[in-house]
Amino acid sequence: MDAKLSVRNVYKIFGPHPKRALEMVRQGLGKDEIFEKTGMTVGVSDASFDIREGEIFVVMGLSGSGKSTMVRMLNRLIDVTAGSVLLDGRDITSMSRKELIEVRRREISMVFQSFALMPHQTVLQNTAFGLDVAGVPRAEREARALEALDAVGLKPNADSYPDELSGGMKQRVGLARALAVNPGVLLMDEAFSALDPLIRTEMQDELLRLQSEHARTVVFITHDLDEAMRVGDRIAIMQAGEVVQVGTPEDIVRNPANEYVRSFFRGVDVSQVFSAGDVARRDQVTIIERPGVSVRAALSRLEEHDRSLAVVHDKRRRFEGVVTSDSLLSCLRGLARDDDGRIEQAFVKDIEPARADAPLADVMSLAAESPWPVPVVDDEGRYVGTISKAALLQTLNRSDQGEE
Amino acid sequence: MDLPIGEGISAAVDFMLEHFQGAFDFFAAILKFLTGGLTDLLGWLPAWVVIVVLAGLALWRVNWKFALFVVAALGVVLGMQLWEQTMETLALVLAAAIVALGLGLPLGVAMAKSDLVAAVLRPVLDFMQTLPAFVYLIPAAMFFGLGQVPGAIATVIFSMPPSVRLMNLGIRHVDVENVEAGRAFGCNPFQLLFKVELPLAMPSIMAGINQTIMLGLSMVVIASMIGAGGLGNTVLTGIQRLDVGLGFEGGLGVVVLAIILDRLTQSFGQAGRKDSPLGRLKKLFGGEGSERTPT
Ligand SMILES: Nc1ncnc2c1ncn2[C@@H]1O[C@H](COP(=O)(O)OP(=O)(O)OP(=O)(O)O)[C@@H](O)[C@H]1O
Ligand SMILES: [Mg+2]
């Protein structure tokens, strides 16, 4: 896996004598203690993680946990106190001013919480800002800016001024401005936090859509869990300047690193976090359909394993149906003595498999109504496992464990 | 107690007279060139040309009502036989403003960029602004003698502080995220100043320019005490002869100039982007009916 950005033991101390406070952090003193003793603030403390090419990497944490500081050290709007930040292996923290300006002009761009558009410039000029600064000739930069505006659906507003736009539209301009320079890395500090909920979800979808067209490496700061879950491929959780856990949303929900992380996820709607595939288990008896497999054979296989249910799939694991001892028996009763029966005659009716990528929420009603576990298939129809009521309850309970 | 502060200042002025005469002469030469040139120009232009130009500016920047006012008010000045003095005063104000802004605005930028510069300049500015205007006349007269140039110099010093202050304030108050955006997209310090900070600080800068010009006008009148001429002379003569009518006429001329300069410079301060010169012209010639509400 390629690390696009690599953060290595990064510290940031705000105050007049950062080295002194740095010593104290390294000796293991906490943020609060250090503030009491020296008046200096530990913004970020010993952060190390990799951000992979093309992923949306979410940084989440409470207010003051150091998210903004962290993201600003990635393009060096804030200088690190110690440690290094590698962009494609090049250390940003030791670059010359000139190299740094080049990197900012071509490789990393940023979207801001309160949009930070230039009020005296049109939408088009705003979008072309980065290209203008980089010295791209007017005709070319306007063409590229128009393209970026088109991508966010604002081409018709190119000649408007920012104060004529709604919040959501302003942030689309902010996004277009960042995309216009065609950067490898996009930094978004609470980019959608100032928008009202409906527009916010719309913008999240917009980001995901843009990402599906052209996957960039996105570092997305938020303090909103739902947002983190929605857009994040992986999430880093910050607590008082430290990165306490990095992982996929599922990883973190399953195994929260500490009470702080757990508290974040308390009350999270697990059914939205997990997909059917995450919960499905392969603990059912399976029967491979081939010419020799008859109703009688299936029945004896169930009895042998002391089960009342089996899943039938073909040689390529493609799901075909579900049989139960009841369905097999009633089918047998209707058969002539010398007929062993074909197994599809015994399939339980009305069992629809769920798709593995469906949110658990969608499967829940299915599982609740059905007397049988719900089979789950992948996008090519291959059998993945089943979700039983018991497994479902267990998963849903997991998020409540922290509350006792 | 009798602290010899006055003596100290005198000694300092003497010292500066002796050693920095060259610098003062250079400064004076610039001002002389500007005031002389502007006085000559405005004196040479027929009154109606000046009136048409100012009324045109009024029409473009403010509205037709103000343009009418400009024509009427300048007509009154002409009728009072004070045209020549008014133009002298205007020339002096403009010359002093050009120099004051030429020094003040860059100083304001330096102040915004460096806390050290700000810490040094702030008390100096306070001092410059609180000292009674008359006090500037004495050293100005000592360094440069009597006449237009020392008057202009006193005016420059007296009127400069607001442009320095408001430039500094304007830049420092530019939204942090806008500055961050500028930096994040790769601005060098020069680009940051010209593409982000100055445009966003423009209302504040324009307010500073307006104040500098208005203070300049008030000082120019006072400066007639050291022979700067213009409308101030008329007022002064009125006082000396106890001629209320003459004093009032001079004062009226000053008021007319003040109103015109104030409204015109303010209009540049409010200038949003929709009021670009081209847009204004289009509006003027495009639709007389789309009259803006008078402000
Ligand atoms: N310029 C600064 N000088 C001093 N302390 C600072 C500075 N910037 C941030 N801090 C401190 O560093 C810590 C981390 O701040 P940061 O802004 O990174 O938090 P955050 O996670 O982005 O919070 P929020 O959700 O409120 O934006 C805070 O304790 C803050 O007070
Ligand atoms: Mg923040």
Side-chain angles (χ1 to χ4, degrees):
Chain A
M1 246 160 269
D2 300 344
K4 180 77 180 173
L5 272 166
S6 197
V7 175
R8 299 243 194 285
N9 307 102
V10 163
Y11 292 83
K12 177 66 199 180
I13 314 277
F14 293 105
H17 310 289
K19 295 286 169 215
R20 237 177 56 209
L22 189 61
E23 266 317 299
M24 300 169 83
V25 184
R26 287 189 167 142
Q27 281 161 19
L29 270 72
K31 176 175 169 154
D32 294 339
E33 268 176 291
I34 294 177
F35 183 76
E36 253 165 52
K37 285 196 178 142
T38 66
M40 287 186 273
T41 308
V42 181
V44 169
S45 166
D46 199 14
S48 294
F49 51 85
D50 284 348
I51 298 172
R52 297 170 192 155
E53 176 98 53
E55 75 174 339
I56 300 186
F57 186 87
V58 171
V59 179
M60 202 172 73
L62 295 179
S63 189
S65 58
K67 308 181 295 291
S68 295
T69 309
M70 188 67 245
V71 75
R72 278 164 179 70
M73 289 191 291
L74 300 181
N75 62 352
R76 225 174 109 184
L77 285 181
I78 296 180
D79 277 304
V80 303
T81 304
S84 53
V85 175
L86 307 178
L87 172 68
D88 294 323
R90 290 163 298 154
D91 190 352
I92 289 187
T93 59
S94 61
M95 276 182 186
S96 68
R97 280 282 137 196
K98 226 175 132 195
E99 287 173 287
L100 182 63
I101 281 180
E102 278 309 300
V103 164
R104 287 175 180 167
R105 285 179 180 174
R106 312 198 185 283
E107 297 178 61
I108 301 186
S109 60
M110 195 160 179
V111 183
F112 294 84
Q113 176 167 6
S114 45
F115 323 130
L117 302 177
M118 307 298 162
H120 62 289
Q121 294 187 323
T122 63
V123 164
L124 184 66
Q125 290 168 328
N126 264 292
T127 310
F129 183 82
L131 298 167
D132 179 20
V133 165
V136 175
R138 188 192 177 116
E140 186 192 337
R141 71 171 185 252
E142 292 196 341
R144 283 171 64 184
L146 267 182
E147 226 173 276
L149 280 175
D150 200 22
V152 299
L154 274 189
K155 202 168 174 182
N157 302 74
D159 293 326
S160 309
Y161 284 87
D163 63 4
E164 297 164 351
L165 306 181
S166 69
M169 289 160 94
K170 280 184 199 162
Q171 196 56 303
R172 279 170 201 270
V173 178
L175 201 53
R177 174 174 65 180
L179 294 176
V181 295
N182 195 20
V185 178
L186 201 58
L187 307 179
M188 306 179 73
D189 186 6
E190 309 236 11
F192 302 153
S193 300
L195 305 173
D196 56 53
L198 226 78
I199 308 292
R200 191 168 176 169
T201 343
E202 201 179 294
M203 290 300 289
Q204 292 162 1
D205 292 343
E206 183 82 20
L207 177 66
L208 293 173
R209 185 182 63 75
L210 289 168
Q211 197 63 2
S212 71
E213 284 167 9
H214 180 164
R216 297 168 202 277
T217 308
V218 180
V219 184
F220 190 101
I221 309 294
T222 181
H223 56 242
D224 183 276
L225 183 69
D226 287 335
E227 188 165 71
M229 297 290 195
R230 248 174 95 86
V231 304
D233 292 314
R234 288 192 307 144
I235 302 179
I237 302 205
M238 293 192 68
Q239 173 185 15
E242 284 174 50
V243 176
V244 288
Q245 190 167 13
V246 180
T248 62
E250 292 86 353
D251 283 347
I252 297 179
V253 175
R254 262 190 233 277
N255 303 306
N258 63 18
E259 193 46 43
Y260 174 84
V261 178
R262 198 193 307 279
S263 71
F264 251 112
F265 290 84
R266 188 169 292 159
V268 171
D269 189 355
V270 185
S271 64
Q272 296 289 353
V273 180
F274 289 114
S275 59
D278 291 326
V279 182
R281 307 217 185 124
R282 277 216 195 133
D283 50 7
Q284 302 298 341
V285 171
T286 58
I287 294 171
I288 296 177
E289 148 125 270
R290 57 196 139 82
V293 176
S294 62
V295 174
R296 269 185 228 288
L299 197 57
S300 64
R301 182 161 156 81
L302 273 185
E303 276 162 5
E304 185 184 313
H305 285 88
D306 195 21
R307 292 296 187 97
S308 57
L309 179 133
V311 174
V312 184
H313 58 69
D314 70 6
K315 278 174 271 185
R316 294 216 175 78
R317 293 194 66 78
R318 250 196 295 275
F319 175 82
E320 308 227 308
V322 170
V323 291
T324 63
S325 30
D326 288 346
S327 76
L328 289 167
L329 280 173
S330 67
C331 177
L332 260 188
R333 256 177 253 127
L335 286 175
R337 238 176 211 293
D338 53 344
D339 186 358
D340 283 350
R342 292 198 340 276
I343 195 158
E344 53 272 32
Q345 292 174 301
F347 283 174
V348 179
K349 291 196 178 52
D350 303 330
I351 287 195
E352 273 298 312
R355 288 275 299 250
D357 53 7
L360 203 50
D362 297 357
V363 184
M364 268 158 60
S365 59
L366 223 61
E369 282 161 22
S370 157
W372 312 109
V374 178
V376 178
V377 298
D378 67 12
D379 50 5
E380 283 168 47
R382 282 185 301 238
Y383 172 66
V384 172
T386 58
I387 301 176
S388 64
K389 269 199 205 98
L392 199 59
L393 285 177
Q394 209 182 335
T395 308
L396 293 180
N397 270 336
R398 194 188 298 275
S399 63
D400 299 332
Q401 282 167 6
E403 289 184 41
E404 265 72 54
Chain B
M1 258 222 294
D2 185 11
L3 282 174
I5 287 179
E7 283 163 39
I9 295 289
S10 296
V13 168
D14 282 344
F15 176 83
M16 280 160 66
L17 261 179
E18 224 170 281
H19 295 272
F20 296 106
Q21 192 65 46
F24 288 129
D25 285 348
F26 176 70
F27 192 51
I30 294 178
L31 268 174
K32 193 181 171 100
F33 173 76
L34 274 174
T35 46
L38 278 168
T39 314
D40 287 350
L41 178 70
L42 289 174
W44 171 76
L45 284 175
W48 66 267
V49 173
V50 177
I51 295 179
V52 165
V53 168
L54 286 177
L57 276 174
L59 185 61
W60 168 39
R61 298 302 311 179
V62 191
N63 55 30
W64 63 269
K65 286 177 189 165
F66 186 60
L68 270 187
F69 167 83
V70 168
V71 174
L74 289 177
V76 168
V77 169
L78 210 53
M80 292 190 299
Q81 309 283 326
L82 286 177
W83 185 259
E84 204 177 308
Q85 290 88 329
T86 305
M87 287 305 106
E88 267 178 40
T89 297
L90 182 60
L92 206 58
V93 168
L94 292 181
I98 291 171
V99 175
L101 296 174
L103 290 172
L105 296 179
L107 270 180
V109 173
M111 201 174 166
K113 291 290 165 184
S114 155
D115 287 338
L116 182 68
V117 173
V120 172
L121 275 185
R122 199 161 287 124
V124 176
L125 290 175
D126 288 341
F127 186 76
M128 282 165 78
Q129 256 184 323
T130 44
L131 221 56
F134 295 93
V135 178
Y136 290 114
L137 298 180
I138 307 164
M142 281 182 71
F143 287 126
F144 306 103
L146 297 180
Q148 269 199 326
V149 172
I153 287 173
T155 306
V156 166
I157 297 172
F158 182 71
S159 67
M160 195 168 55
S163 61
V164 183
R165 267 184 214 285
L166 284 163
M167 170 63 91
N168 170 47
L169 200 72
I171 292 182
R172 283 181 188 259
H173 282 203
V174 170
D175 192 273
V176 194
E177 275 204 350
N178 279 98
V179 175
E180 276 188 331
R183 295 210 295 139
F185 281 95
C187 282
N188 58 35
F190 183 81
Q191 290 173 319
L192 192 65
L193 185 65
F194 282 93
K195 288 186 191 292
V196 180
E197 290 173 323
L198 291 185
L200 293 195
M202 206 38 93
S204 172
I205 297 172
M206 282 301 172
I209 292 177
N210 172 268
Q211 282 193 25
T212 286
I213 291 177
M214 298 316 286
L215 275 185
L217 184 59
S218 69
M219 187 64 195
V220 155
V221 174
I222 294 168
S224 62
M225 287 168 72
I226 53 171
L231 286 170
N233 257 3
T234 313
V235 177
L236 211 60
T237 313
I239 294 173
Q240 281 159 353
R241 294 192 201 149
L242 288 179
D243 183 341
V244 180
L246 187 64
F248 183 80
E249 282 182 357
L252 196 61
V254 174
V255 170
V256 165
L257 269 190
I259 293 176
I260 295 176
L261 288 175
D262 187 38
R263 286 299 297 272
L264 284 182
T265 52
Q266 259 187 33
S267 76
F268 283 93
Q270 295 154 350
R273 57 303 119 162
K274 274 163 233 151
D275 299 343
S276 68
L278 214 65
R280 280 272 175 166
L281 282 178
K282 270 188 204 148
K283 214 178 257 171
L284 266 183
F285 296 110
E288 214 57 28
S290 64
E291 182 53 53
R292 291 167 74 246
T293 46
T295 35

